[in-house]
Amino acid sequence: AEVQTDMLNEVARMVERSVLWFLRHMSGTIDISKEIAKLAPAVKELRANLKSVWSDEVASYVNKQADQYKAKGVPADLAFTVASLYRLAATNDILRLADTVKQPIQQVAKIYYLTGERFGMGALRARTEGMVRASHWDRLAVSAAVEELYTHQSNLAQRIITQAKGKKLAGEKAVDAWVDANKANAERYDAVYGEIRTTDGLNLAMLTVANRSLSSLIAS
């Protein structure tokens, strides 16, 4: 029962993030049937190709979680499916980005995940799970900061893809080329993130500084 509850909580976490994405990014009346019809093929494609598009960082999170389920008796396929669910919620951002840049969804997904790894956004989000949230407002503030990290990841991935299109670059080469072209600004962010990464505990002030540094990097 304990393992089943943990897995159901993971499903609920994915649902919560997906629902909040629609509420935050879509205006007016939402046609759920239409959105499902549009999103489902993209989810199916990413689910079938997850291991080829995600970064080493995301793979390590998923494999670690799947191994924990398997150690408690969960069949391997089911363990992997549940462990990867939360990462599939990123399909909303990836599909919108693919439509914007007119690029194949797998190619966009690869750069999206690599961008999160290169600039530490996935690591920052993972560390928020251990943050103390004493009040309702604390929870809202952390949730807003996490959502801002996702927005930065999409915007930065779009910048990287746009630059890479003219040079016919993909994957890590595209990310590296963008960093090289924006070296001074990237190094400033790296210095901020490096200091945050070496601290024992993450707090809201650090998240705010990280988000502000990312905003400056993207704007530059």
Side-chain angles (χ1 to χ4, degrees), residues 8 36 102 113 116 131 179 210:
L8 287 171
I36 289 174
K102 309 300 181 187
Y113 287 120
M131 288 177 59
V179 171

Side-chain angles (χ1 to χ4, degrees), residues 5-191:
T5 300
D6 287 343
M7 296 171 74
L8 287 171
N9 283 337
E10 193 65 15
V11 175
R13 202 161 72 103
M14 179 275 293
V15 172
E16 180 180 17
R17 185 187 161 197
S18 298
V19 170
L20 287 175
W21 188 95
F22 278 102
L23 293 176
R24 287 166 173 160
H25 290 85
M26 305 192 72
S27 59
T29 302
I30 302 174
D31 187 333
I32 294 298
S33 297
K34 180 180 178 181
E35 295 303 325
I36 289 174
K38 181 179 180 182
L39 190 62
V43 173
K44 184 177 180 180
E45 182 176 351
L46 283 184
R47 188 191 298 276
N49 297 280
L50 271 178
K51 292 182 180 180
S52 64
V53 299
W54 61 22
S55 63
D56 291 342
E57 179 185 55
V58 174
S60 69
Y61 290 148
V62 173
N63 291 331
K64 180 180 178 180
Q65 192 169 355
D67 288 343
Q68 290 173 349
Y69 291 147
K70 287 188 290 185
K72 296 177 181 178
V74 179
D77 288 346
L78 179 59
F80 179 82
T81 297
V82 175
S84 60
L85 269 180
Y86 187 70
R87 280 77 194 179
L88 279 172
T91 309
N92 291 306
D93 284 323
I94 292 169
L95 179 58
R96 172 175 279 195
L97 183 54
D99 288 343
T100 300
V101 299
K102 309 300 181 187
Q103 294 288 310
I105 192 165
Q106 289 186 50
Q107 185 174 326
V108 169
K110 183 70 174 179
I111 291 182
Y112 176 88
Y113 287 120
L114 286 171
T115 300
E117 180 178 50
R118 167 60 182 81
F119 294 96
M121 288 178 268
L124 286 171
R125 288 191 294 263
R127 289 180 65 188
T128 64
E129 296 175 7
M131 288 177 59
V132 176
R133 308 174 196 189
S135 71
H136 169 68
W137 293 107
D138 288 336
R139 290 190 291 273
L140 287 180
V142 173
S143 177
V146 169
E147 186 63 29
E148 193 172 357
L149 286 171
Y150 280 118
T151 300
H152 288 325
Q153 186 166 342
S154 292
N155 291 340
L156 193 48
Q158 182 175 340
R159 295 293 183 96
I160 292 169
I161 293 169
T162 299
Q163 175 183 286
K165 285 172 67 176
K167 299 180 179 180
K168 297 182 180 180
L169 298 173
E172 292 181 359
K173 290 183 178 179
V175 177
D176 291 342
W178 191 89
V179 171
D180 287 342
N182 299 271
K183 191 171 183 179
N185 296 314
E187 287 178 348
R188 278 195 288 271
Y189 169 75
D190 288 343

